[in-house]
Coordinates of all heavy atoms in Angstrom, one line a residue:
S1 N 0.3 11.0 13.8 CA -0.8 10.9 12.8 C -0.2 11.1 11.4 O -0.6 10.4 10.4 CB -1.9 11.8 13.0 OG -1.5 13.2 12.9
L2 N 0.8 11.9 11.3 CA 1.5 12.1 10.0 C 2.2 10.8 9.5 O 2.0 10.4 8.4 CB 2.5 13.2 10.1 CG 3.3 13.6 8.8 CD1 2.4 14.0 7.7 CD2 4.3 14.6 9.1
E3 N 2.9 10.2 10.4 CA 3.6 8.9 10.0 C 2.6 7.9 9.7 O 2.8 7.2 8.7 CB 4.5 8.5 11.2 CG 5.7 9.4 11.5 CD 6.2 9.2 12.9 OE1 5.6 8.5 13.7 OE2 7.3 9.8 13.2
L4 N 1.6 7.7 10.5 CA 0.6 6.7 10.3 C 0.0 6.9 8.9 O -0.2 5.9 8.2 CB -0.5 6.8 11.4 CG -1.6 5.8 11.2 CD1 -1.2 4.4 11.5 CD2 -2.8 6.2 12.2
N5 N -0.4 8.1 8.6 CA -1.1 8.4 7.3 C -0.2 8.1 6.1 O -0.6 7.6 5.1 CB -1.6 9.8 7.2 CG -2.7 10.0 8.2 OD1 -3.4 9.1 8.7 ND2 -2.9 11.3 8.7
V6 N 1.1 8.5 6.2 CA 2.1 8.2 5.2 C 2.3 6.7 5.0 O 2.2 6.2 3.8 CB 3.4 9.0 5.4 CG1 4.5 8.5 4.5 CG2 3.2 10.5 5.3
F7 N 2.5 6.0 6.0 CA 2.8 4.6 6.0 C 1.5 3.9 5.4 O 1.6 3.0 4.5 CB 3.1 4.0 7.3 CG 4.4 4.5 7.9 CD1 4.7 4.3 9.2 CD2 5.3 5.1 7.1 CE1 5.9 4.8 9.8 CE2 6.5 5.7 7.6 CZ 6.8 5.5 9.0
Y8 N 0.3 4.3 5.9 CA -0.9 3.7 5.5 C -1.1 3.9 4.0 O -1.6 3.0 3.3 CB -2.1 4.3 6.3 CG -3.5 4.0 5.8 CD1 -4.1 2.8 6.1 CD2 -4.1 4.9 5.0 CE1 -5.4 2.5 5.6 CE2 -5.4 4.7 4.5 CZ -6.0 3.4 4.9 OH -7.3 3.2 4.4
S9 N -0.8 5.1 3.5 CA -0.9 5.4 2.1 C 0.0 4.6 1.2 O -0.5 4.1 0.2 CB -0.6 6.9 1.8 OG -1.5 7.7 2.6
Y10 N 1.2 4.4 1.6 CA 2.1 3.5 0.8 C 1.5 2.1 0.9 O 1.6 1.4 -0.2 CB 3.5 3.5 1.4 CG 4.3 4.6 0.9 CD1 4.7 5.7 1.7 CD2 4.8 4.6 -0.5 CE1 5.5 6.7 1.2 CE2 5.6 5.7 -1.0 CZ 5.9 6.7 -0.1 OH 6.7 7.7 -0.6
I11 N 1.1 1.6 2.0 CA 0.6 0.2 2.1 C -0.7 0.1 1.2 O -0.8 -0.9 0.5 CB 0.3 -0.2 3.5 CG1 1.7 -0.4 4.2 CG2 -0.6 -1.4 3.7 CD1 1.7 -0.6 5.7
T12 N -1.6 1.0 1.3 CA -2.9 0.8 0.5 C -2.5 0.9 -1.0 O -3.1 0.1 -1.7 CB -3.9 1.9 0.9 OG1 -3.4 3.2 0.7 CG2 -4.5 1.7 2.2
E13 N -1.6 1.7 -1.4 CA -1.3 1.8 -2.8 C -0.6 0.5 -3.2 O -0.8 0.0 -4.3 CB -0.3 3.0 -3.1 CG -1.1 4.3 -3.2 CD -0.2 5.4 -3.8 OE1 0.7 5.1 -4.6 OE2 -0.4 6.6 -3.4
T14 N 0.3 -0.1 -2.4 CA 0.9 -1.3 -2.7 C -0.1 -2.5 -2.8 O 0.0 -3.3 -3.7 CB 2.0 -1.6 -1.6 OG1 2.9 -0.6 -1.5 CG2 2.8 -2.9 -2.0
L15 N -1.0 -2.6 -1.9 CA -2.0 -3.6 -1.9 C -2.9 -3.5 -3.2 O -3.2 -4.5 -3.8 CB -2.9 -3.6 -0.7 CG -2.2 -4.0 0.6 CD1 -3.1 -3.7 1.9 CD2 -1.8 -5.5 0.6
H16 N -3.3 -2.2 -3.5 CA -4.0 -2.0 -4.7 C -3.2 -2.4 -6.0 O -3.7 -3.0 -6.9 CB -4.5 -0.5 -4.8 CG -5.2 -0.2 -6.0 ND1 -4.7 0.3 -7.2 CD2 -6.6 -0.3 -6.2 CE1 -5.6 0.4 -8.1 NE2 -6.8 0.1 -7.6
Y17 N -2.0 -2.0 -6.0 CA -1.1 -2.3 -7.1 C -0.9 -3.8 -7.3 O -1.0 -4.4 -8.4 CB 0.2 -1.6 -6.9 CG 1.1 -1.7 -8.2 CD1 0.6 -1.3 -9.4 CD2 2.5 -2.1 -8.1 CE1 1.5 -1.3 -10.5 CE2 3.3 -2.2 -9.2 CZ 2.8 -1.8 -10.4 OH 3.6 -1.8 -11.5
L18 N -0.7 -4.5 -6.1 CA -0.6 -6.0 -6.2 C -1.9 -6.6 -6.8 O -1.8 -7.4 -7.7 CB -0.5 -6.5 -4.7 CG 0.8 -6.8 -4.2 CD1 0.7 -7.1 -2.7 CD2 1.4 -8.0 -4.9
H19 N -3.0 -6.2 -6.4 CA -4.3 -6.7 -6.9 C -4.4 -6.4 -8.4 O -4.7 -7.3 -9.2 CB -5.5 -6.1 -6.2 CG -6.8 -6.6 -6.6 ND1 -7.8 -5.7 -7.0 CD2 -7.3 -7.8 -6.7 CE1 -8.8 -6.4 -7.4 NE2 -8.6 -7.7 -7.2
S20 N -4.1 -5.2 -8.8 CA -4.3 -4.9 -10.2 C -3.3 -5.6 -11.1 O -3.6 -6.0 -12.2 CB -4.0 -3.3 -10.5 OG -2.7 -3.0 -10.2
Q21 N -2.1 -5.9 -10.6 CA -1.1 -6.7 -11.4 C -1.5 -8.1 -11.5 O -1.3 -8.7 -12.5 CB 0.3 -6.6 -10.7 CG 0.9 -5.2 -10.7 CD 1.1 -4.7 -12.2 OE1 1.9 -5.3 -12.9 NE2 0.4 -3.7 -12.5
V22 N -2.1 -8.7 -10.5 CA -2.6 -10.1 -10.6 C -3.8 -10.1 -11.6 O -3.8 -11.0 -12.4 CB -3.1 -10.6 -9.2 CG1 -3.9 -11.9 -9.4 CG2 -1.9 -10.8 -8.3
L23 N -4.7 -9.1 -11.5 CA -5.8 -9.1 -12.5 C -5.3 -8.9 -14.0 O -5.8 -9.5 -14.9 CB -6.7 -7.9 -12.2 CG -7.5 -8.1 -10.9 CD1 -8.4 -6.9 -10.7 CD2 -8.3 -9.4 -10.8
E24 N -4.2 -8.2 -14.1 CA -3.6 -8.0 -15.5 C -3.1 -9.4 -16.0 O -3.2 -9.7 -17.2 CB -2.4 -7.1 -15.4 CG -2.5 -5.9 -16.3 CD -1.3 -5.0 -16.2 OE1 -0.2 -5.4 -16.5 OE2 -1.5 -3.8 -15.8
K25 N -2.6 -10.2 -15.1 CA -2.2 -11.6 -15.5 C -3.3 -12.6 -15.7 O -3.1 -13.6 -16.4 CB -1.2 -12.1 -14.5 CG 0.0 -11.2 -14.3 CD 1.3 -12.1 -14.3 CE 2.5 -11.3 -14.2 NZ 2.9 -10.7 -15.5
L26 N -4.5 -12.2 -15.1 CA -5.6 -13.1 -15.2 C -6.9 -12.4 -15.7 O -7.9 -12.3 -15.0 CB -5.9 -13.7 -13.8 CG -4.8 -14.5 -13.2 CD1 -5.1 -14.8 -11.7 CD2 -4.5 -15.8 -14.0
P27 N -6.9 -11.9 -16.9 CA -8.0 -11.1 -17.4 C -9.3 -11.9 -17.4 O -10.4 -11.3 -17.2 CB -7.6 -10.6 -18.8 CG -6.5 -11.5 -19.2 CD -5.8 -12.0 -17.9
D28 N -9.2 -13.1 -17.7 CA -10.4 -14.0 -17.8 C -11.1 -14.2 -16.4 O -12.2 -14.6 -16.3 CB -10.2 -15.3 -18.4 CG -9.0 -16.1 -17.8 OD1 -8.0 -15.4 -17.4 OD2 -9.0 -17.3 -17.7
L29 N -10.3 -14.0 -15.3 CA -10.8 -14.2 -13.9 C -11.2 -12.9 -13.2 O -11.5 -12.9 -12.0 CB -9.8 -15.0 -13.1 CG -9.5 -16.4 -13.6 CD1 -8.4 -17.0 -12.7 CD2 -10.8 -17.3 -13.6
K30 N -11.0 -11.8 -13.9 CA -11.2 -10.5 -13.4 C -12.5 -10.3 -12.6 O -12.5 -9.8 -11.4 CB -11.1 -9.4 -14.5 CG -10.9 -8.0 -14.0 CD -10.7 -7.1 -15.2 CE -10.2 -5.7 -14.6 NZ -9.8 -4.9 -15.7
R31 N -13.6 -10.7 -13.1 CA -14.9 -10.6 -12.4 C -15.0 -11.4 -11.2 O -15.6 -11.1 -10.2 CB -16.0 -11.0 -13.4 CG -16.1 -9.9 -14.5 CD -17.3 -10.2 -15.3 NE -18.5 -10.1 -14.5 CZ -19.7 -9.7 -14.9 NH1 -19.9 -9.5 -16.2 NH2 -20.7 -9.6 -14.1
G32 N -14.2 -12.5 -11.1 CA -14.3 -13.4 -10.0 C -13.3 -13.0 -8.9 O -13.3 -13.7 -7.8
L33 N -12.5 -12.0 -9.2 CA -11.5 -11.6 -8.2 C -11.6 -10.1 -7.9 O -10.7 -9.3 -8.2 CB -10.1 -11.9 -8.7 CG -9.8 -13.4 -9.0 CD1 -8.4 -13.5 -9.7 CD2 -9.8 -14.2 -7.7
P34 N -12.7 -9.6 -7.4 CA -13.0 -8.2 -7.2 C -12.1 -7.5 -6.2 O -12.0 -6.3 -6.3 CB -14.5 -8.2 -6.8 CG -14.7 -9.5 -6.2 CD -13.9 -10.5 -6.9
T35 N -11.5 -8.3 -5.3 CA -10.7 -7.7 -4.3 C -9.4 -8.5 -4.1 O -9.3 -9.6 -4.5 CB -11.4 -7.6 -2.9 OG1 -11.7 -9.0 -2.5 CG2 -12.8 -6.9 -3.0
L36 N -8.5 -7.9 -3.4 CA -7.2 -8.6 -3.1 C -7.6 -9.8 -2.1 O -7.0 -10.8 -2.2 CB -6.3 -7.7 -2.4 CG -4.9 -8.3 -2.1 CD1 -4.2 -8.8 -3.3 CD2 -4.0 -7.3 -1.3

């Protein structure tokens, strides 16, 4: 469970970061891209 939680945490942070970086590049489309 420890390994799973650590790997899961890195993956969720990476997916969130990916999404936020795309939104930074496309501020005019931010409302139309609410999720990854």
Side-chain angles (χ1 to χ4, degrees):
S1 62
L2 179 62
E3 295 160 351
L4 177 71
N5 293 335
V6 169
F7 299 162
Y8 171 81
S9 300
Y10 275 110
I11 286 172
T12 54
E13 279 191 34
T14 303
L15 291 172
H16 179 266
Y17 189 53
L18 263 171
H19 182 237
S20 68
Q21 293 301 293
V22 170
L23 293 182
E24 238 179 62
K25 300 227 174 277
L26 301 167
D28 53 322
L29 297 177
K30 194 172 189 170
R31 293 186 63 152
L33 300 170
T35 64
L36 181 63

